[in-house]
Amino acid sequence: QMNVDAAKFFNSCLFSDNPDAKNALSYFVNDRKLSVSTIKHFGLGYAPNSFDVFLKHMLAKGYTHDELVAGYLCSKSDRGHYFDSFRNRVMFPIIDVRGNVIAFSGRALDDSPAKYMNSPETPVFHKGSNIFSLNIAKQYSAKDGLILVEGNMDAVSLYSFGFPNAVAGLGTALTDQQAQLLKRYSPLVYICYDNDEAGTKAAEKAIDILSAAGIKLKVLSYKDAKDPDEYLRKKGAESFKKVISSALSVTEYKILNIRKKYNL
């Protein structure tokens, strides 16, 4: 319930008259080309650029300092001062398959060294056993399979372009538990990771874990964009449908990667 109230606070801040909030909304609408209905569907929000405005709001609702720290919504300094954990970030609530808000991921709007900040393990959140957006994608997965991407923004972007069967890992390497969770909702998974060396390595690890779980796999290969979000904004939904229709088998994908390194 505390996470639900936090998500409602962040969402209301996003649509407030605060100039910083207008920048946050512009990031979603202008930079990422999301509609307001998509923003509301995912419950996206904004954590104000303030030391303790969120803390005061939650204390007024009856939550204690200890509860807020346990949920990683607030932090405690060495001097004993409490402050908001997420500040000046656009917020992605992480919702489990049953529809419970269990954690948050925040993307910095400034030059913060930590571009993404994710909730650590809490009493209600276990990173390795949850998948972002599976609560939405599970409605479509039986027919279309699941599209597994790296970032939350990629999954939201795919949804907004008409691919609601997209899900994302939670910022770490895929786990066996996540593989079993995906298998429960779909026999087929399309892997669509970032188009760089790190993305290729992560995809190869994911292939091993998902294959071991007995999931049928296809790999999406695309050019001229660093990630699926950028690809969609550059080339649109029709072009991405062609990427799906020409999905590679795992063997084809591995040979493609070998070709990049060696003269066959």
Side-chain angles (χ1 to χ4, degrees), residues 160-181:
S160 74
F161 277 88
F163 303 93
N165 55 323
V167 296
L170 292 168
T172 56
L174 206 68
T175 65
D176 294 331
Q177 296 103 302
Q178 287 172 317
Q180 291 300 327
L181 188 59

PDB file of all heavy atoms in Angstrom, residues 160-181:
ATOM      1  N   SER A 160       3.578   1.516 -26.622  1.00  0.00           N
ATOM      2  CA  SER A 160       2.967   2.712 -27.212  1.00  0.00           C
ATOM      3  C   SER A 160       2.915   2.636 -28.737  1.00  0.00           C
ATOM      4  O   SER A 160       2.090   3.282 -29.364  1.00  0.00           O
ATOM      5  CB  SER A 160       3.707   3.977 -26.761  1.00  0.00           C
ATOM      6  OG  SER A 160       4.946   4.094 -27.408  1.00  0.00           O
ATOM      7  N   PHE A 161       3.810   1.829 -29.337  1.00  0.00           N
ATOM      8  CA  PHE A 161       3.802   1.662 -30.793  1.00  0.00           C
ATOM      9  C   PHE A 161       2.976   0.456 -31.236  1.00  0.00           C
ATOM     10  O   PHE A 161       3.024   0.058 -32.397  1.00  0.00           O
ATOM     11  CB  PHE A 161       5.235   1.540 -31.326  1.00  0.00           C
ATOM     12  CG  PHE A 161       5.914   2.873 -31.547  1.00  0.00           C
ATOM     13  CD1 PHE A 161       6.619   3.486 -30.521  1.00  0.00           C
ATOM     14  CD2 PHE A 161       5.831   3.517 -32.775  1.00  0.00           C
ATOM     15  CE1 PHE A 161       7.245   4.710 -30.720  1.00  0.00           C
ATOM     16  CE2 PHE A 161       6.447   4.735 -32.983  1.00  0.00           C
ATOM     17  CZ  PHE A 161       7.158   5.350 -31.959  1.00  0.00           C
ATOM     18  N   GLY A 162       2.246  -0.144 -30.293  1.00  0.00           N
ATOM     19  CA  GLY A 162       1.342  -1.224 -30.663  1.00  0.00           C
ATOM     20  C   GLY A 162       1.862  -2.627 -30.437  1.00  0.00           C
ATOM     21  O   GLY A 162       1.359  -3.589 -31.026  1.00  0.00           O
ATOM     22  N   PHE A 163       2.881  -2.739 -29.562  1.00  0.00           N
ATOM     23  CA  PHE A 163       3.420  -4.072 -29.218  1.00  0.00           C
ATOM     24  C   PHE A 163       3.292  -4.264 -27.694  1.00  0.00           C
ATOM     25  O   PHE A 163       4.272  -4.130 -26.962  1.00  0.00           O
ATOM     26  CB  PHE A 163       4.877  -4.189 -29.670  1.00  0.00           C
ATOM     27  CG  PHE A 163       5.070  -3.940 -31.147  1.00  0.00           C
ATOM     28  CD1 PHE A 163       5.381  -2.671 -31.609  1.00  0.00           C
ATOM     29  CD2 PHE A 163       4.905  -4.965 -32.061  1.00  0.00           C
ATOM     30  CE1 PHE A 163       5.548  -2.424 -32.976  1.00  0.00           C
ATOM     31  CE2 PHE A 163       5.067  -4.732 -33.423  1.00  0.00           C
ATOM     32  CZ  PHE A 163       5.380  -3.456 -33.887  1.00  0.00           C
ATOM     33  N   PRO A 164       2.080  -4.572 -27.222  1.00  0.00           N
ATOM     34  CA  PRO A 164       1.838  -4.631 -25.776  1.00  0.00           C
ATOM     35  C   PRO A 164       2.399  -5.877 -25.103  1.00  0.00           C
ATOM     36  O   PRO A 164       2.285  -6.034 -23.889  1.00  0.00           O
ATOM     37  CB  PRO A 164       0.311  -4.603 -25.677  1.00  0.00           C
ATOM     38  CG  PRO A 164      -0.143  -5.246 -26.948  1.00  0.00           C
ATOM     39  CD  PRO A 164       0.858  -4.850 -27.999  1.00  0.00           C
ATOM     40  N   ASN A 165       3.010  -6.772 -25.903  1.00  0.00           N
ATOM     41  CA  ASN A 165       3.557  -8.019 -25.354  1.00  0.00           C
ATOM     42  C   ASN A 165       5.039  -7.887 -24.994  1.00  0.00           C
ATOM     43  O   ASN A 165       5.760  -8.876 -24.909  1.00  0.00           O
ATOM     44  CB  ASN A 165       3.366  -9.169 -26.360  1.00  0.00           C
ATOM     45  CG  ASN A 165       3.961  -8.864 -27.735  1.00  0.00           C
ATOM     46  OD1 ASN A 165       3.905  -7.725 -28.201  1.00  0.00           O
ATOM     47  ND2 ASN A 165       4.495  -9.868 -28.403  1.00  0.00           N
ATOM     48  N   ALA A 166       5.493  -6.643 -24.764  1.00  0.00           N
ATOM     49  CA  ALA A 166       6.902  -6.402 -24.428  1.00  0.00           C
ATOM     50  C   ALA A 166       7.120  -6.386 -22.920  1.00  0.00           C
ATOM     51  O   ALA A 166       6.305  -5.854 -22.164  1.00  0.00           O
ATOM     52  CB  ALA A 166       7.362  -5.070 -25.017  1.00  0.00           C
ATOM     53  N   VAL A 167       8.230  -6.984 -22.490  1.00  0.00           N
ATOM     54  CA  VAL A 167       8.605  -7.008 -21.071  1.00  0.00           C
ATOM     55  C   VAL A 167      10.092  -6.697 -20.952  1.00  0.00           C
ATOM     56  O   VAL A 167      10.839  -6.793 -21.933  1.00  0.00           O
ATOM     57  CB  VAL A 167       8.310  -8.381 -20.418  1.00  0.00           C
ATOM     58  CG1 VAL A 167       6.818  -8.669 -20.407  1.00  0.00           C
ATOM     59  CG2 VAL A 167       9.073  -9.506 -21.134  1.00  0.00           C
ATOM     60  N   ALA A 168      10.521  -6.333 -19.753  1.00  0.00           N
ATOM     61  CA  ALA A 168      11.945  -6.027 -19.538  1.00  0.00           C
ATOM     62  C   ALA A 168      12.441  -6.700 -18.271  1.00  0.00           C
ATOM     63  O   ALA A 168      11.696  -6.848 -17.296  1.00  0.00           O
ATOM     64  CB  ALA A 168      12.156  -4.516 -19.440  1.00  0.00           C
ATOM     65  N   GLY A 169      13.717  -7.099 -18.308  1.00  0.00           N
ATOM     66  CA  GLY A 169      14.384  -7.531 -17.083  1.00  0.00           C
ATOM     67  C   GLY A 169      14.542  -6.307 -16.188  1.00  0.00           C
ATOM     68  O   GLY A 169      14.209  -5.195 -16.599  1.00  0.00           O
ATOM     69  N   LEU A 170      15.053  -6.470 -15.030  1.00  0.00           N
ATOM     70  CA  LEU A 170      15.097  -5.340 -14.085  1.00  0.00           C
ATOM     71  C   LEU A 170      16.519  -4.852 -13.840  1.00  0.00           C
ATOM     72  O   LEU A 170      16.982  -4.762 -12.710  1.00  0.00           O
ATOM     73  CB  LEU A 170      14.406  -5.728 -12.774  1.00  0.00           C
ATOM     74  CG  LEU A 170      12.890  -5.919 -12.930  1.00  0.00           C
ATOM     75  CD1 LEU A 170      12.295  -6.588 -11.710  1.00  0.00           C
ATOM     76  CD2 LEU A 170      12.195  -4.583 -13.174  1.00  0.00           C
ATOM     77  N   GLY A 171      17.216  -4.566 -14.937  1.00  0.00           N
ATOM     78  CA  GLY A 171      18.520  -3.923 -14.820  1.00  0.00           C
ATOM     79  C   GLY A 171      19.673  -4.833 -14.466  1.00  0.00           C
ATOM     80  O   GLY A 171      20.793  -4.387 -14.299  1.00  0.00           O
ATOM     81  N   THR A 172      19.406  -6.123 -14.341  1.00  0.00           N
ATOM     82  CA  THR A 172      20.493  -7.068 -14.042  1.00  0.00           C
ATOM     83  C   THR A 172      20.406  -8.242 -15.019  1.00  0.00           C
ATOM     84  O   THR A 172      19.467  -8.340 -15.800  1.00  0.00           O
ATOM     85  CB  THR A 172      20.376  -7.621 -12.602  1.00  0.00           C
ATOM     86  OG1 THR A 172      19.077  -8.216 -12.458  1.00  0.00           O
ATOM     87  CG2 THR A 172      20.547  -6.534 -11.568  1.00  0.00           C
ATOM     88  N   ALA A 173      21.401  -9.110 -14.974  1.00  0.00           N
ATOM     89  CA  ALA A 173      21.374 -10.294 -15.834  1.00  0.00           C
ATOM     90  C   ALA A 173      20.142 -11.141 -15.509  1.00  0.00           C
ATOM     91  O   ALA A 173      19.704 -11.221 -14.361  1.00  0.00           O
ATOM     92  CB  ALA A 173      22.641 -11.107 -15.616  1.00  0.00           C
ATOM     93  N   LEU A 174      19.595 -11.758 -16.534  1.00  0.00           N
ATOM     94  CA  LEU A 174      18.394 -12.583 -16.377  1.00  0.00           C
ATOM     95  C   LEU A 174      18.674 -13.759 -15.437  1.00  0.00           C
ATOM     96  O   LEU A 174      19.766 -14.329 -15.451  1.00  0.00           O
ATOM     97  CB  LEU A 174      17.979 -13.106 -17.751  1.00  0.00           C
ATOM     98  CG  LEU A 174      16.501 -13.450 -17.936  1.00  0.00           C
ATOM     99  CD1 LEU A 174      15.656 -12.193 -17.903  1.00  0.00           C
ATOM    100  CD2 LEU A 174      16.307 -14.161 -19.275  1.00  0.00           C
ATOM    101  N   THR A 175      17.692 -14.100 -14.612  1.00  0.00           N
ATOM    102  CA  THR A 175      17.864 -15.193 -13.650  1.00  0.00           C
ATOM    103  C   THR A 175      17.003 -16.400 -14.049  1.00  0.00           C
ATOM    104  O   THR A 175      16.092 -16.285 -14.876  1.00  0.00           O
ATOM    105  CB  THR A 175      17.436 -14.756 -12.235  1.00  0.00           C
ATOM    106  OG1 THR A 175      16.012 -14.497 -12.251  1.00  0.00           O
ATOM    107  CG2 THR A 175      18.181 -13.510 -11.785  1.00  0.00           C
ATOM    108  N   ASP A 176      17.285 -17.528 -13.434  1.00  0.00           N
ATOM    109  CA  ASP A 176      16.491 -18.738 -13.676  1.00  0.00           C
ATOM    110  C   ASP A 176      15.028 -18.526 -13.269  1.00  0.00           C
ATOM    111  O   ASP A 176      14.114 -19.009 -13.946  1.00  0.00           O
ATOM    112  CB  ASP A 176      17.074 -19.924 -12.893  1.00  0.00           C
ATOM    113  CG  ASP A 176      18.458 -20.320 -13.397  1.00  0.00           C
ATOM    114  OD1 ASP A 176      18.734 -20.105 -14.593  1.00  0.00           O
ATOM    115  OD2 ASP A 176      19.271 -20.814 -12.590  1.00  0.00           O
ATOM    116  N   GLN A 177      14.827 -17.793 -12.161  1.00  0.00           N
ATOM    117  CA  GLN A 177      13.447 -17.539 -11.700  1.00  0.00           C
ATOM    118  C   GLN A 177      12.681 -16.702 -12.718  1.00  0.00           C
ATOM    119  O   GLN A 177      11.495 -16.933 -12.974  1.00  0.00           O
ATOM    120  CB  GLN A 177      13.431 -16.801 -10.349  1.00  0.00           C
ATOM    121  CG  GLN A 177      14.036 -17.590  -9.204  1.00  0.00           C
ATOM    122  CD  GLN A 177      15.427 -17.074  -8.876  1.00  0.00           C
ATOM    123  OE1 GLN A 177      16.307 -17.053  -9.735  1.00  0.00           O
ATOM    124  NE2 GLN A 177      15.624 -16.643  -7.645  1.00  0.00           N
ATOM    125  N   GLN A 178      13.365 -15.697 -13.300  1.00  0.00           N
ATOM    126  CA  GLN A 178      12.701 -14.873 -14.317  1.00  0.00           C
ATOM    127  C   GLN A 178      12.365 -15.707 -15.552  1.00  0.00           C
ATOM    128  O   GLN A 178      11.298 -15.538 -16.159  1.00  0.00           O
ATOM    129  CB  GLN A 178      13.593 -13.693 -14.701  1.00  0.00           C
ATOM    130  CG  GLN A 178      13.661 -12.613 -13.619  1.00  0.00           C
ATOM    131  CD  GLN A 178      14.695 -11.547 -13.929  1.00  0.00           C
ATOM    132  OE1 GLN A 178      15.802 -11.848 -14.371  1.00  0.00           O
ATOM    133  NE2 GLN A 178      14.347 -10.293 -13.702  1.00  0.00           N
ATOM    134  N   ALA A 179      13.262 -16.622 -15.904  1.00  0.00           N
ATOM    135  CA  ALA A 179      13.007 -17.505 -17.047  1.00  0.00           C
ATOM    136  C   ALA A 179      11.770 -18.363 -16.809  1.00  0.00           C
ATOM    137  O   ALA A 179      10.920 -18.527 -17.698  1.00  0.00           O
ATOM    138  CB  ALA A 179      14.225 -18.387 -17.306  1.00  0.00           C
ATOM    139  N   GLN A 180      11.648 -18.912 -15.596  1.00  0.00           N
ATOM    140  CA  GLN A 180      10.475 -19.733 -15.267  1.00  0.00           C
ATOM    141  C   GLN A 180       9.194 -18.903 -15.302  1.00  0.00           C
ATOM    142  O   GLN A 180       8.126 -19.387 -15.711  1.00  0.00           O
ATOM    143  CB  GLN A 180      10.655 -20.380 -13.886  1.00  0.00           C
ATOM    144  CG  GLN A 180      11.732 -21.456 -13.838  1.00  0.00           C
ATOM    145  CD  GLN A 180      11.471 -22.616 -14.783  1.00  0.00           C
ATOM    146  OE1 GLN A 180      10.338 -22.988 -15.042  1.00  0.00           O
ATOM    147  NE2 GLN A 180      12.548 -23.195 -15.324  1.00  0.00           N
ATOM    148  N   LEU A 181       9.304 -17.640 -14.866  1.00  0.00           N
ATOM    149  CA  LEU A 181       8.139 -16.738 -14.873  1.00  0.00           C
ATOM    150  C   LEU A 181       7.700 -16.461 -16.314  1.00  0.00           C
ATOM    151  O   LEU A 181       6.504 -16.503 -16.629  1.00  0.00           O
ATOM    152  CB  LEU A 181       8.509 -15.426 -14.160  1.00  0.00           C
ATOM    153  CG  LEU A 181       7.387 -14.422 -13.891  1.00  0.00           C
ATOM    154  CD1 LEU A 181       6.286 -15.036 -13.031  1.00  0.00           C
ATOM    155  CD2 LEU A 181       7.944 -13.174 -13.208  1.00  0.00           C
TER     156      LEU A 181
END
